[in-house]
């Protein structure tokens, strides 16, 4: 209970100073992470958590399940948003290229590691999470078109990577056995994905139609509607697990199927689920502080730093710049979309699940690289968000000045 009280107290203090802290790009996830590092570090820390348990594994799966569901239903303007062409290029083009580039970087930097372990690592460090740099999505100095594209990509990116991660982790775990059965591992992963897809489709589609009908006929009320929305990802997760599928994949599929119904429900219908996800992810950021201490107790490795630096910069930027050729976007806008790819909760959850499922040496390797990638992303993307906003504001001011000057010249006799 002491840990709960400490986490709640830190969150309350941050809420009192949120506006002032935002000037230094200190978001709630960053504050919770720093507090976690400070309170779980050292030989005799004030707080310590057992992260290698089935309870923790199920807890992080539930966090990711709810997060994926909320991401899917909060995508504006439909599944791909209003900028379908740009989003499709990023998800269908840049994302696979980024996964391949990340795998190649791992192959070059860590030649002693197995191919399947490097594939797991790629799926861990690639998914986006806008929470550590949430101010960017709300920054009206940045063009609304770019913010929407980034928001939609961030909402769907992790859900698309999830089944790939499950496939890679299943084969990587099997490869460490004395008699590895790769075909069996692949079939089990495909079967789990199929059950997850079926559960998500059934629960999300049926729940969306029922809640929409109930609200339109006046059979329910808003407080009950909020509980109904929260029950959807929980039901998809539980049903998928009972059928032998993966819960967080089912929750994401349920969110995709449920999203059209959300457009016809009150805007506040998803507030309870959204707030619960926020609280759970902030608690996970606190636990991430202990993961940081565990991963780097013996110091840092240059190869890990190099890989993490590439993972949050070039291996995303180059594929994004490539697929955005011919779109008519300004070079600065392409660079913005390529650069702004922060990593966060999804990488933490995938990394934690990999640590639980893999042997000690492989688990330690995944943990170190995941932690370094997330921390570098927080520093680089977090500190750059405010300068990027100022740069766009300056550009907008220059364009307005030029338009005013042109208008004055046109008015001259």
């Amino acid at each position: 209970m002491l840990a709960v009280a400490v986490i709640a107290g830190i969150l309350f203090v941050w809420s009192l100073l949120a506006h002032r802290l935002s000037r230094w790009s200190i978001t709630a996830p960053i504050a919770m992470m720093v507090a976690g590092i400070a309170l779980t570090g050292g030989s005799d820390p004030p707080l310590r958590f057992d992260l290698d348990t089935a309870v923790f594994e199920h807890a992080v799966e539930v966090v990711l399940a709810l997060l994926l569901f909320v991401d899917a239903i909060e995508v504006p303007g439909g599944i791909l948003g209003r900028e379908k062409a740009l989003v499709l290029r990023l998800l269908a083009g840049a994302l696979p290229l980024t996964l391949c580039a990340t795998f190649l970087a791992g192959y070059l930097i860590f030649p002693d590691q197995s191919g399947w372990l490097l594939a797991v690592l790629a799926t861990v460090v690639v998914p986006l999470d806008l929470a550590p740099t949430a101010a960017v999505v709300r920054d009206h100095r940045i063009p609304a078109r770019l913010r929407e594209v980034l928001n939609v990509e961030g909402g769907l990116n992790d859900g698309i990577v999830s089944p790939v991660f499950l496939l890679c982790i299943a084969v990587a775990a099997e490869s460490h056995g004395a008699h590895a059965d790769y075909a069996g591992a692949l079939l089990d992963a495909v079967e789990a994905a199929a059950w997850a897809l079926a559960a998500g489709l059934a629960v999300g589609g049926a729940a969306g139609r029922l809640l929409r009908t109930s609200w339109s006929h006046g059979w329910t009320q808003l407080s009950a509607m909020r509980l109904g929305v929260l029950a959807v990802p929980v039901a998809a997760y539980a049903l998928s697990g009972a059928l032998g599928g993966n819960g967080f994949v089912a929750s994401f599929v349920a969110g995709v199927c449920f999203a059209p119904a959300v457009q016809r429900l009150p805007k506040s219908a998803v507030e309870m689920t959204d707030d619960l996800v926020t609280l759970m992810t902030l608690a996970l950021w606190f636990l991430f502080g202990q993961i940081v201490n565990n991963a780097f107790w013996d110091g840092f490795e240059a190869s890990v730093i190099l890989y993490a630096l590439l993972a949050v910069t070039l291996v995303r930027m180059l594929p994004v710049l490539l697929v955005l050729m011919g779109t008519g976007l300004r070079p600065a806008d392409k660079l913005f979309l390529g650069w702004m790819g922060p990593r966060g909760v999804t990488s933490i959850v995938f990394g934690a699940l990999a640590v639980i499922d893999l042997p000690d040496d492989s688990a330690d390797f995944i943990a170190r690289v995941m932690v370094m990638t997330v921390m570098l992303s927080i520093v680089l993307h977090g500190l750059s968000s405010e300068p990027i906003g100022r740069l766009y504001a300056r550009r907008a001011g220059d364009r307005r000045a030029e338009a005013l000057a042109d208008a004055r010249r046109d008015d001259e006799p």
Side-chain angles (χ1 to χ4, degrees):
M1 294 305 293
L2 176 60
V4 175
V6 170
I7 293 173
I10 295 168
L11 181 59
F12 181 76
V13 172
W14 176 85
S15 69
L16 297 176
L17 304 171
H19 179 66
R20 289 186 175 274
L21 292 176
S22 65
R23 299 177 182 177
W24 294 282
S25 299
I26 301 177
T27 60
I30 294 176
M32 297 299 286
M33 180 194 69
V34 172
I37 293 174
L39 295 175
T40 63
S43 57
D44 187 21
L47 297 174
R48 200 69 182 171
F49 304 91
D50 187 1
L51 304 182
D52 191 18
T53 64
V55 173
F56 177 71
E57 180 178 8
H58 290 306
V60 295
E61 283 190 355
V62 170
V63 171
L64 183 58
L66 293 175
L67 177 64
L68 292 174
F69 177 80
V70 170
D71 284 346
I73 65 176
E74 289 189 344
V75 170
I79 185 60
L80 293 179
R82 289 178 290 272
E83 296 290 344
K84 291 182 173 59
L86 290 179
V87 173
L88 192 60
R89 282 175 179 251
L90 292 174
L91 294 177
L95 179 55
L97 290 175
T98 300
L99 284 169
C100 292
T102 309
F103 175 83
L104 180 60
Y107 181 79
L108 296 175
I109 297 174
F110 307 114
D112 296 334
Q113 300 295 341
S114 71
W116 282 110
L117 186 63
L118 295 176
V120 171
L121 183 61
T123 60
V124 168
V125 302
V126 161
L128 273 62
D129 178 17
L130 298 178
T133 56
V136 171
V137 181
R138 298 190 297 266
D139 193 338
H140 293 281
R141 295 172 298 181
I142 299 172
R145 181 187 188 190
L146 300 181
R147 288 186 282 119
E148 178 176 329
V149 168
L150 192 62
N151 193 30
V152 175
E153 184 196 6
L156 299 177
N157 175 285
D158 44 8
I160 295 172
V161 176
S162 295
V164 183
F165 165 76
L166 293 173
L167 175 65
C168 294
I169 194 69
V171 180
E174 183 67 25
S175 67
H176 288 87
H179 304 285
D181 182 8
Y182 294 110
L186 285 171
L187 288 175
D188 289 343
V190 172
E191 182 181 0
W195 282 120
L197 179 63
L201 288 170
V203 173
R209 287 191 295 271
L210 290 172
L211 284 175
R212 184 178 59 193
T213 301
S214 175
W215 179 255
S216 63
H217 286 78
W219 297 342
T220 186
Q221 54 190 9
L222 188 56
S223 59
M225 179 70 67
R226 295 193 185 103
L227 290 173
V229 173
L230 177 59
V232 176
V234 176
Y237 176 87
L239 177 60
S240 178
L243 295 174
N246 184 270
F248 53 79
V249 173
S251 296
F252 175 74
V253 175
V256 172
C257 297
F258 189 78
V262 173
Q263 309 302 321
R264 301 187 182 183
L265 297 179
K267 292 183 178 180
S268 59
V270 300
E271 286 182 352
M272 178 183 291
T273 306
D274 200 9
D275 290 342
L276 180 60
V277 169
T278 300
L279 287 173
M280 295 177 72
T281 54
L282 289 177
L284 185 58
W285 277 105
F286 185 88
L287 295 178
F288 177 67
Q290 178 175 318
I291 298 175
V292 172
N293 290 324
N294 294 344
F296 295 113
W297 180 259
D298 297 326
F300 300 87
E301 299 177 22
S303 58
V304 171
I305 297 175
L306 174 60
Y307 178 89
L309 185 61
L310 290 175
V312 299
T313 55
L314 292 180
V315 296
R316 169 176 166 84
M317 293 180 67
L318 293 180
V320 169
L321 293 176
L322 179 63
V323 301
L324 292 181
M325 293 177 61
T327 59
L329 287 176
R330 297 185 181 90
D333 295 341
K334 296 177 184 178
L335 285 172
F336 169 78
L337 292 176
W339 168 253
M340 195 50 65
R343 310 314 200 266
V345 168
T346 307
S347 293
I348 296 172
V349 173
F350 283 177
L353 294 176
V355 167
I356 293 171
D357 290 342
L358 295 174
D360 289 343
D361 291 342
S362 299
D364 292 342
F365 169 70
I366 292 289
R368 287 196 303 272
V369 179
M370 179 274 290
V371 167
M372 181 58 67
T373 302
V374 173
M375 292 188 68
L376 276 179
S377 175
I378 288 175
V379 173
L380 296 177
H381 295 120
L383 294 180
S384 64
S385 58
E386 178 60 26
I388 289 174
R390 289 198 298 266
L391 179 61
Y392 270 103
R394 189 180 306 117
R395 285 182 54 193
D398 292 341
R399 287 196 297 270
R400 285 194 295 267
E402 291 176 0
L404 182 59
D406 291 340
R408 287 176 178 173
R409 282 193 294 269
D410 292 340
D411 291 339
E412 292 177 357

